[in-house]
Amino acid sequence: MQIHRSPSQSRPSSRSSTAARRTDGTASSATARRSTPTRPPSPVRRSDRALAPVAGVLLLAITVVLAGGVVGVAIDSPPDPAPTASLSLSVSDDRVTVTHRGGDALDASELDVRVRVDGEPLARQPPVPFFSAAGFEPGPTGAFNAASDDDWRAGGSASFRVAGTNDPGIEPGRTVVVEVSVEGRQVATLESTADAG
């Protein structure tokens, strides 16, 4: 009686034959490749790695939106209104007098006064408040004087005299325009014709 062996039974497996051929106790290269330990799983999963760029983009977007809001508020906010005051002007010889007739008190330390004679600005403008300045006679009065109170209230007058060294000179019949501002905000533009004192 003959025993038929299947091909798998008749040959030893390649794994067992390779291992059997090695007598020095080391595994063959095929076995070594299979027996190489796999890397341990990384503590950072793919889904975690993807969160960092997404979070960065979100933070950037929030920063841009907030910055745009701040700029929008700064641009949209209306500037502080100029004080409301009623002023009048008189010019006699070389003296320019401005009288506060009513309205808000004006801070003398924040005043800016610009003078034009027949449309031409004075070469030296009054640096109010002052006591002595080039182009002006010493000792202005009221809010134009550096020793005055800070508040220029209704009923108060302030004056200065333009020196002959300033140009153009104030002479009778010439038109004098005085612009009064507070912190760059115009309060009044006044006009008067100089008369002989």
Side-chain angles (χ1 to χ4, degrees), residues 119-196:
E120 186 179 346
L122 287 177
R124 291 190 169 103
Q125 295 291 335
V128 295
F130 69 100
F131 180 77
S132 182
F136 298 90
E137 298 294 335
T141 65
F144 296 160
N145 191 302
S148 71
D149 292 335
D150 283 343
D151 288 336
W152 186 16
R153 299 184 180 280
S157 290
S159 70
F160 55 81
R161 290 177 56 213
V162 179
T165 56
N166 212 335
D167 188 53
I170 297 178
E171 298 170 1
R174 297 188 107 176
T175 301
V176 178
V177 174
V178 175
E179 294 176 353
V180 179
S181 302
V182 174
E183 291 187 326
R185 295 167 294 163
Q186 190 168 9
V187 176
T189 299
L190 311 167
E191 183 177 315
S192 180
T193 302
D195 58 16

Side-chain angles (χ1 to χ4, degrees), residues 13-50:
S13 72
S14 62
R15 268 187 271 177
S16 61
S17 65
T18 306
R21 280 189 227 129
R22 303 283 300 195
T23 58
D24 60 356
T26 60
S28 70
S29 61
T31 308
R33 263 187 257 131
R34 282 193 211 107
S35 65
T36 302
T38 59
R39 288 187 205 162
S42 173
V44 178
R45 297 177 304 199
R46 282 188 186 178
S47 61
D48 291 341
R49 284 192 304 250

Side-chain angles (χ1 to χ4, degrees), residues 52-69:
V54 170
V57 169
L58 285 175
L59 286 174
L60 180 62
I62 290 170
T63 303
V64 168
V65 168
L66 289 176

Side-chain angles (χ1 to χ4, degrees), residues 80-159:
D80 291 336
T84 304
S86 175
L87 307 176
S88 65
L89 172 67
S90 66
V91 181
S92 179
D93 284 336
D94 59 358
R95 183 175 293 277
V96 176
T97 303
V98 181
T99 303
H100 193 310
R101 299 286 181 197
D104 297 332
L106 303 177
D107 188 341
S109 65
E110 297 173 346
L111 286 176
D112 186 35
V113 177
R114 293 289 170 254
V115 180
R116 293 193 311 271
V117 179
D118 287 342
E120 186 179 346
L122 287 177
R124 291 190 169 103
Q125 295 291 335
V128 295
F130 69 100
F131 180 77
S132 182
F136 298 90
E137 298 294 335
T141 65
F144 296 160
N145 191 302
S148 71
D149 292 335
D150 283 343
D151 288 336
W152 186 16
R153 299 184 180 280
S157 290
S159 70

